[in-house]
């Protein structure tokens, strides 16, 4: 079950994007008064041909059972499972999807899948500049939802998710400037600014990943080793104390020493 969740979570957007692109056709005027439809992703494919129509049926089945069914299951199926099981069992069964999620935000991964499906549909079935406008609006809505819900248990994770969504909104709105600026020099400057900001964001997230995951993991290992050594020392002291108590005289005094004839030897009757 965990492997299925991992594959679906990481492969959903690429598989859905490829499937949806087959349905997107563009009408092109090939001659005076003659219009033909071609697939937008591959203009060599005629959308009115029999081969394309047969392929369209197969792709429609894939879209229903994969692109549309997964968001449905992510919302209603997970909701039914949550209400019919305790939180511990539900978290164990949905361990990958619920990792780091607060108990009252169990629905958030379904929201993420729906966001992916909406964004993919916008990018595939609409053209520029409408797709950019719709994408910016959708991401603004889901960013506001992220800031309101704060679904993760860790404040650090909520901060990183919020910063990432805000940056996506920033880049989407910056893309509108490309069609407004006609001067070549200003256009090139905007491109450089865009890539510099993107590089800085990648460096910041890379540093945070290294610091949070690698350094924290190393610190935990060092702490665990120190704890094990401390436990071992404590265990030796307890054993030595127990041995001293066993070898103590019946009179109640504890014989001091470390293992020689004076320390740990019970006096004989002739010596008492």
């Amino acid at each position: 079950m965990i492997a299925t969740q991992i594959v679906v979570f990481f492969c959903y957007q690429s598989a859905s994007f490829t499937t949806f692109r087959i349905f997107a056709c563009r009408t092109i005027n090939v001659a005076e008064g003659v219009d033909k439809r071609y697939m937008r992703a591959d203009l060599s494919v005629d959308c009115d041909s029999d081969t394309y129509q047969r392929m369209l049926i197969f792709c429609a089945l894939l879209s229903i059972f994969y692109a549309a069914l997964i968001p449905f299951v992510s919302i209603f199926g997970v909701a039914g499972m949550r209400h019919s099981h305790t939180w511990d069992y539900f978290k164990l069964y949905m361990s990958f999807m619920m990792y780091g999620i607060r108990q009252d935000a169990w629905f958030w991964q379904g929201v993420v899948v729906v966001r992916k499906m909406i964004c993919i549909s916008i990018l595939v079935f609409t053209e520029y500049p409408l797709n950019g406008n719709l994408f910016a609006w959708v991401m603004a809505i889901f960013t506001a939802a992220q800031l309101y819900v704060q679904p993760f248990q860790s404040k650090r994770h909520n901060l990183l998710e919020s910063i990432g969504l805000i940056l996506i909104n920033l880049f989407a709105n910056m893309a509108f400037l490309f069609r407004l600026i006609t001067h070549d020099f200003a256009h090139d400057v905007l491109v450089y600014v865009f890539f510099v900001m993107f590089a800085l964001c990648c460096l910041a997230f890379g540093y945070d990943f290294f610091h949070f995951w690698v350094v924290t993991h190393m610190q935990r290992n060092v702490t665990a080793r120190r704890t094990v050594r401390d436990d071992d020392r404590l265990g030796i002291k307890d054993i030595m104390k127990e041995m001293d108590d066993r070898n103590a005289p019946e009179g109640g005094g504890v014989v001091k020493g470390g293992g020689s004839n004076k320390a740990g030897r019970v006096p004989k009757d002739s010596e008492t």
Side-chain angles (χ1 to χ4, degrees), residues 136-169:
W137 276 103
V138 169
M139 290 305 302
I141 293 173
F142 281 99
T143 301
Q146 160 68 28
L147 295 174
Y148 177 77
V149 176
Q150 297 289 307
F152 297 102
Q153 297 175 354
S154 173
K155 293 182 179 180
R156 190 186 191 94
H157 292 169
N158 287 318
L159 179 62
L160 289 175
E161 183 75 8
S162 301
I163 292 175
L165 292 176
I166 291 173
L167 290 175
I168 292 176
N169 282 275

Side-chain angles (χ1 to χ4, degrees), residues 29 60 68 110 116 210 225:
N29 183 264
K116 293 179 179 180
F210 176 79
R225 292 175 183 176

